[in-house]
Amino acid sequence: MLAYNRLPVAFEYGRGAWLWDTEGNQYLDALAGVAVCGLGHAHPAVVAAIQDQAKKLLHTSNIYCISLQENLANRLTALSGMDRVFFSNSGAEANEAALKIARRYGHNQGVDNPKIVVMTSSFHGRTLATLSATGNPKVQAGFEPLVQNFIRVPYNDITALKNLPKEACQEIVAILLEPVQGEGGVIVPDEDYLDQIRLICNQQGWLMMLDEVQTGLCRTGQWFAFQHSKAQPDVITLAKSLGGGIPIGACLARGVAAEVIQPGSHGSTCGGNPLACRSALAVLDTLEQANLASRAAQLGQRMIQSFQTMFGELPQVKAIRGKGLMMGIELDRPCGVLMSHALADGLLINVTASNVIRLLPPLIITDEESDIIASKLNNLIRSFLKNS
Ligand SMILES: *Cc1c(COP(=O)(O)O)cnc(C)c1O
């Protein structure tokens, strides 16, 4: 199906932060498969784990115990301070699990028409419920009727949350948001935003649910982006980088939220299968051993600094922002064409929200490689602005 507008290139193999196409051209990857390849390409620990597991056992079924899944759940709950995990195959499915938890949590409390607060410019996936939660009309167009009972408020606006009408509040059971918005344009909220949300959720009895599908697993300079704050969420969703390229998603829950799903109330055939869990365990081991959370924090700062020095003064550059190695450069005009300009220059980047250059380089990237990204971007932005 014609679901994608693809750039005219196909890659044959990769090593670290580099990719080679079928013609032998080399590219520096500053997108990492949209934050999936956090350890870069062909990381030896992930390769070895997949090879070894493929020889043993790929899949059984959630009808049986899966010890690799239990190990992975134990690692994730220890890292995040959560209690239980449900495994899926994607981010959208992880969010579906979160939305189902919220509704059931509501019904358990006698709320017959449970509502969930979501944000403007958010992204939560492409299934019917998650596209309904998404704050982007383009993602929803033509798929109405949408799943009902989402209440949308402006992102990074605590006053809007506090001003929700009393009648609505009685039916609200949860808030779902990204700790840093990715697709929406790499939007970093105020430092106390999550703490304020936690406070409101405590006062109102709402579940605080964080979509960490893009921000999770060291990307922002902490294991999870919420760990920059004091707030502990009730539900977290993960996917993208968790499997290092093998599809896997996870919905983590704590306290009452962790008890909502009982045998028979949710499921996934391949979710948490031995291969995906083995790969994810290798990803977590590597993130930990190489201390990639603090590396992402430190390198992200260094990259933002060099962007600021190189092109921060240009009047057409509206903002340079980010957290860790999740970075955005906002221009004063649509700049989607920069993706193909960069490609022609051997650099892989993304443009989101039409005028924000989004960078999600692998966390294993070296200082030298990050300098190449900065200098290539500098040239690309300057020549784009001169000619547009
Ligand atoms: C990518 C993404 C999703 C969707 O994940 P899929 O694996 O494509 O279903 C959901 N939420 C956020 C924040 C994302 O970045």
Side-chain angles (χ1 to χ4, degrees), residues 90-92 95 123-125 178 211 213-214 240:
S90 68
N95 286 332
F123 183 80
H124 298 297
E178 298 151 89
D211 180 343
V213 168
Q214 193 163 144
K240 290 206 163 92

Side-chain angles (χ1 to χ4, degrees), residues 103-117:
R103 283 203 170 179
R104 222 171 220 247
Y105 164 76
H107 284 291
N108 288 350
Q109 308 209 326
V111 180
D112 295 332
N113 191 30
K115 294 182 169 149
I116 298 168
V117 176

Side-chain angles (χ1 to χ4, degrees), residues 181-231:
Q181 288 191 334
E183 303 295 314
V186 192
I187 302 173
V188 185
D190 296 341
E191 218 149 284
D192 67 340
Y193 184 52
L194 293 185
D195 292 325
Q196 295 285 338
I197 295 225
R198 182 68 268 177
L199 215 62
I200 293 174
C201 286
N202 289 349
Q203 286 162 354
Q204 300 274 13
W206 302 343
L207 298 181
M208 175 178 177
M209 310 202 297
L210 293 183
D211 180 343
E212 293 239 22
V213 168
Q214 193 163 144
T215 53
L217 305 169
C218 304
R219 172 59 56 188
T220 69
Q222 289 281 356
W223 272 99
F224 305 95
F226 78 82
Q227 291 168 338
H228 292 284
S229 75
K230 290 185 213 70

Side-chain angles (χ1 to χ4, degrees), residues 218-221 228 293 296-301 303-304 322-327:
C218 304
R219 172 59 56 188
T220 69
H228 292 284
Q298 168 236 328
L299 187 54
Q301 271 183 359
M303 288 184 78
I304 297 261
K323 218 166 181 99
L325 286 174
M326 183 170 178
M327 297 165 288

Side-chain angles (χ1 to χ4, degrees), residues 243-262:
I246 300 286
I248 182 168
C251 178
L252 288 64
R254 180 176 70 92
V256 272
E259 306 306 322
V260 165
I261 298 294
Q262 290 295 323

